[in-house]
Amino acid sequence: GDSVTQMEGPVTLSEEAFLTINCTYTATGYPSLFWYVQYPGEGLQLLLKATKADDKGSNKGFEATYRKETTSFHLEKGSVQVSDSAVYFCALRRDTGRRALTFGSGTRLQVQP
Amino acid sequence: DGGITQSPKYLFRKEGQNVTLSCEQNLNHDAMYWYRQDPGQGLRLIYYSQIVNDFQKGDIAEGYSVSREKKESFPLTVTSAQKNPTAFYLCASSNPGGSGANVLTFGAGSRLTVL
């Protein structure tokens, strides 16, 4: 079945550090890939997405590139801020069959001033 | 503003009781979903509905039930058969077609604690 694997957290960084959160997936066909962010006590918000191979999703300084050859969708940001502290979820959605999202386990990011 | 409203935000239940979590959306979305979130784990799909009066089991449907009598409403009942119901429950919606087809909009969640 479909699955998404994320690096375990927490990831602790100082402000202005470079961020990478790894995400790999297993799925048949050509899924769409997503990053969602969850702030404490809240639901999830879409951060960025990519719908086909080599697409780059970007938003608020975050970027991720859909790499079909390595089945990866790593999240990066060049300079993190304290306000980026949250839990980040990688997810996929099949192009056929069940259309509900399959999520990874989440990675908590803590940014220290 | 359009969005998804979940209620209650916090709920306490005694063992053996059924409880119903409400999810209402005014986004005119066709599809709705229920996910469960446990500490240190990702979201797991409980049930989903692509259209009114139709729904399908997700990965962990045992001990849960849903209904979809109206487009805007998708309540989740946690029954006494659910062995470990303490969790954070998230409702989401999307439109199956068009440019926004892949994007789920989430509610703020309901935290259920079994005493």
Side-chain angles (χ1 to χ4, degrees), chain A residues 39-51:
Chain A
Y39 298 100
E42 298 182 10
L44 277 68
Q45 303 172 24
L46 177 69
L47 182 58
L48 54 85
K49 66 175 183 175
T51 58

Side-chain angles (χ1 to χ4, degrees), chain A residues 32 34 36 38 41-46 49 51 87 89 93-94 97-106, chain B residues 9 33 35 37 40-43 45 48 50 57-59 88 90 96 99 101-104 106-109:
Chain A
S32 295
F34 306 84
Y36 278 81
Q38 184 179 35
E42 298 182 10
L44 277 68
Q45 303 172 24
L46 177 69
K49 66 175 183 175
T51 58
V87 181
F89 290 91
R93 182 174 184 265
R94 285 187 201 167
R98 191 177 90 173
R99 300 303 189 98
L101 295 186
T102 298
F103 286 88
S105 58
Chain B
K9 190 171 178 66
Y33 311 83
Y35 286 89
Q37 184 178 20
Q41 298 190 35
L43 279 67
L45 182 66
Y48 63 105
Q50 302 285 7
K57 292 181 179 180
D59 300 319
F88 190 50
L90 287 161
S99 61
N102 292 323
V103 178
L104 263 61
F106 281 85

Side-chain angles (χ1 to χ4, degrees), chain A residues 55-73:
Chain A
D55 268 2
K56 178 185 282 189
S58 61
N59 186 27
K60 299 180 182 178
F62 290 90
E63 294 183 339
T65 301
Y66 188 163
R67 302 286 188 201
K68 188 156 179 65
E69 64 276 13
T70 55
T71 61
S72 65
F73 193 55

Side-chain angles (χ1 to χ4, degrees), chain B residues 48-99:
Chain B
Y48 63 105
S49 167
Q50 302 285 7
I51 197 168
V52 175
N53 291 322
D54 188 39
F55 50 82
Q56 288 79 40
K57 292 181 179 180
D59 300 319
I60 56 164
E62 184 175 351
Y64 299 96
S65 66
V66 293
S67 63
R68 187 84 188 278
E69 297 175 0
K70 299 186 296 183
K71 185 176 185 177
E72 58 269 22
S73 179
F74 191 42
L76 174 74
T77 297
V78 184
T79 75
S80 56
Q82 168 49 235
K83 292 185 172 59
N84 187 20
T86 295
F88 190 50
Y89 291 88
L90 287 161
C91 180
S93 70
S94 72
N95 261 339
S99 61

Side-chain angles (χ1 to χ4, degrees), chain B residues 1 4 6-8 12-14 22 24-25 29 35 40 54 62 67 70 81-82 92-94 99-100 112 114:
Chain B
D1 287 341
I4 298 180
Q6 291 188 239
S7 63
F12 297 89
R13 187 194 95 175
K14 294 182 180 178
S22 170
E24 302 279 333
Q25 54 101 355
H29 284 171
Y35 286 89
D54 188 39
E62 184 175 351
S67 63
K70 299 186 296 183
Q82 168 49 235
S93 70
S94 72
S99 61
L112 171 63
V114 174

